[in-house]
């Protein structure tokens, strides 16, 4: 529905609509737009390009789009992402909508890439849908995660293996989304173990990821589920998900014991300079590196070395980098934290850089001119 004239008329900036009427009255021109962003990103242009091409077909005009970068490639701040050429009357009022489909995906893809390369041996699951402002944003963010993931996979990382909704699973090459249970099911069941039993009874043969933080007994409940389903544990079909909130420590840990857990597993981790935020992610409450090592040690000591650990709760680019620096034993990261954190960084801009083949742009934006573009 978004690729219709009525949609454009309703959602584009009014000054673009007025400009179209002026151009139609005083004479159309062929123009070229340069589209760019003010921060480094990964080129994630397909959704915007597809929309522009759909509008060109609808309006019966020829619009030529020249991407300046391959999808998923790194783009520096201020570098043109693409040039768009066509009749000014057809292009001028499209800017608002296609920029909406460009800026946020470029930043989200960059974040997804940086997270995956920081933890190259971990698989990622996109759990962003609940944080999105509607279905269109969910589509954009899922696609962005797939672009960032592909870039990370080209560097040897596992990357994103899927997401949590069926509607956007296609971007990850899947027919459906992934996931087993929310905290609500555990509250309904009355115990973590009973929730696991209900899941297995309802979905026999499916792999199980069980949340273990609901009752504040992460290790106790994780081991109880493993002992209840030893065959699944031995076959690698059982995972425990740590989602401990930042108001408390994982079962059995406190500040001193967190230091001990990290010292036992990665003695060099805290012997270098760390910021206050890094120390929190390493040793603090919530899903810290110490908590992940503590769970891994408990599972291994009980003979459940094939049980995987899924970590969630605030795993954005910086937290992933810190976890990667200590090689935290994470098998899967469930995250929606590749979504742009600072929305002003997602603003994409389009400027006309030529009219009927004659270069012209506002003062200060000469770097966008095609004649100034570095030859590759």
């Amino acid at each position: 529905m978004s690729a219709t004239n009525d949609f454009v008329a309703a959602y584009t900036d009014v000054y673009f609509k007025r400009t179209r009427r002026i151009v139609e009255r005083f004479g159309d021109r062929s123009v070229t737009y340069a589209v760019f962003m003010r921060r480094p990103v990964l080129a994630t242009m397909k959704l915007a390009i597809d929309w522009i091409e759909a509008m060109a077909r609808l309006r019966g005009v020829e619009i030529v789009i020249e991407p300046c970068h391959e999808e998923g490639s790194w783009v520096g701040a201020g570098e043109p992402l693409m040039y768009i050429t066509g009749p000014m009357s057809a292009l001028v009022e499209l800017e608002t909508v296609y920029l909406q489909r460009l800026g946020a995906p470029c930043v989200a893809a960059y974040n997804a890439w940086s997270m995956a390369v920081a933890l190259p041996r971990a698989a990622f699951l996109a759990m962003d849908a609940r944080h999105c402002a509607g279905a269109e944003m969910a589509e954009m963010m899922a696609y962005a995660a797939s672009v960032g993931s592909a870039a990370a996979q080209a560097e040897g990382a596992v990357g994103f293996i899927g997401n949590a909704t069926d509607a956007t699973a296609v971007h990850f090459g899947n027919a459906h989304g992934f996931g087993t249970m929310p905290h609500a099911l555990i509250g309904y069941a009355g115990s973590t173990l009973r929730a696991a039993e209900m899941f297995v009874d309802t979905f026999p043969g499916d792999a199980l990821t069980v949340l273990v933080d609901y009752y504040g007994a992460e290790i106790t409940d994780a081991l109880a589920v493993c002992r209840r389903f030893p065959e699944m544990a031995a076959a690698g079909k059982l995972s425990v998900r740590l989602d401990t909130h930042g108001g408390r420590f994982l079962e059995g840990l406190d500040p001193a014991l967190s230091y001990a857990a990290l010292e036992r597993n990665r003695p060099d981790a805290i012997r270098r300079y760390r910021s206050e935020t890094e120390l929190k992610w390493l040793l603090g409450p919530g899903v810290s590196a110490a908590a992940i090592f503590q769970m891994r040690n408990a599972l291994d000591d009980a003979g459940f070395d094939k049980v995987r650990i899924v970590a969630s709760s605030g795993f954005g680019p910086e937290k992933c980098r810190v976890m990667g620096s200590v090689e935290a034993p994470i098998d899967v990261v469930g995250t929606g934290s590749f979504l742009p954190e600072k929305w002003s960084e997602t603003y994409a801009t389009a400027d006309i850089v030529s009219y009927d083949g004659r270069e012209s742009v506002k003062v200060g934006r000469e770097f966008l001119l095609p004649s100034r573009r570095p030859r590759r």
Side-chain angles (χ1 to χ4, degrees):
M1 288 296 295
S2 65
T4 67
N5 286 319
D6 287 345
F7 182 91
V8 172
Y11 284 96
T12 197
D13 291 298
V14 168
Y15 54 78
F16 289 137
K17 294 196 292 183
R18 291 184 168 184
T19 299
R20 179 186 180 183
R21 289 183 62 185
I22 292 169
V23 168
E24 289 175 335
R25 180 177 181 181
F26 288 95
D28 210 349
R29 292 187 181 183
S30 174
V31 296
T32 297
Y33 281 83
V35 183
F36 71 101
M37 295 189 67
R38 296 174 175 83
R39 54 149 288 169
V41 295
L42 288 194
T44 310
M45 303 176 288
K46 184 179 185 297
L47 299 179
I49 290 173
D50 286 352
W51 185 83
I52 296 168
E53 291 178 341
M55 288 303 302
R57 289 191 297 270
L58 177 68
R59 295 186 168 188
V61 298
E62 182 179 359
I63 294 175
V64 177
I65 302 172
E66 179 192 354
C68 302
H69 304 271
E70 296 290 330
E71 195 83 340
S73 61
W74 184 88
V75 184
E79 289 188 44
L81 285 157
M82 59 181 165
Y83 291 106
I84 308 168
T85 301
M88 188 172 179
S89 62
L91 284 177
V92 68
E93 64 180 4
L94 303 185
E95 180 177 330
T96 302
V97 179
Y98 70 69
L99 292 183
Q100 292 172 350
R101 286 156 173 70
L102 183 68
C106 285
V107 176
Y110 183 95
N111 289 343
W113 162 78
S114 65
M115 290 157 59
V117 296
L119 288 167
R121 290 190 291 276
F124 282 75
L125 181 66
M127 301 178 70
D128 56 293
R130 74 193 73 179
H131 306 307
C132 291
E136 282 195 319
M137 182 178 176
E139 191 79 32
M140 289 190 289
M141 294 301 97
Y143 176 68
S146 72
V147 171
S149 177
Q153 289 165 349
E155 298 181 38
V158 174
F160 283 72
I161 60 170
N163 70 320
T165 67
D166 291 340
T168 54
V170 64
H171 295 305
F172 303 92
N174 300 320
H176 56 78
F178 296 151
T180 56
M181 66 177 64
H183 290 97
L185 178 62
I186 298 169
Y188 165 80
S191 77
T192 302
L193 177 58
R194 183 57 186 147
E197 291 173 336
M198 289 176 171
F199 181 91
V200 173
D201 285 346
T202 306
F203 302 101
D206 283 10
L208 168 63
T209 298
V210 60
L211 275 162
V212 293
D213 64 285
Y214 190 95
Y215 294 102
E218 289 89 348
I219 290 176
T220 298
D221 283 352
L223 293 179
V225 173
C226 290
R227 291 172 180 135
R228 174 65 179 82
F229 300 105
E231 295 85 2
M232 292 181 69
K237 296 187 67 175
L238 178 59
S239 302
V240 296
R241 178 180 161 201
L242 300 182
D243 197 47
T244 306
H245 67 79
R248 67 172 185 83
F249 285 87
L250 180 120
E251 178 189 12
L253 292 183
D254 59 22
L257 291 173
S258 293
Y259 270 95
L262 204 57
E263 179 74 13
R264 183 168 61 253
N265 289 278
R266 288 292 183 274
D268 60 335
I270 53 178
R271 295 177 187 172
R272 49 180 276 198
Y273 172 78
R274 295 287 187 178
S275 69
E276 184 176 342
T277 299
E278 288 176 321
L279 285 173
K280 179 187 73 173
W281 287 331
L282 290 173
L283 302 161
V287 185
S288 66
I292 296 165
F293 278 114
Q294 186 82 344
M295 177 60 76
R296 184 74 268 163
N297 293 159
L299 291 169
D300 291 351
D301 291 347
F304 300 115
D305 59 308
K306 297 294 191 300
V307 172
R308 302 198 302 168
I309 294 177
V310 179
S312 55
S313 186
F315 275 76
E318 288 305 308
K319 187 169 184 177
C320 287
R321 182 184 60 79
V322 172
M323 291 294 177
S325 74
V326 298
E327 298 181 316
I330 302 171
D331 297 294
V332 180
V333 177
T335 181
S337 296
F338 56 88
L339 268 63
E341 183 174 318
K342 188 175 181 181
W343 203 251
S344 60
E345 291 188 345
T346 71
Y347 301 161
T349 302
D351 280 332
I352 292 179
V353 294
S354 85
Y355 298 82
D356 288 333
R358 181 180 63 85
E359 288 189 344
S360 178
V361 71
K362 76 177 185 179
V363 173
R365 295 276 172 83
E366 292 83 3
F367 60 88
L368 296 173
L369 295 172
S371 61
R372 303 282 186 93
R373 181 182 170 193
R375 299 300 174 188
R376 296 180 181 275

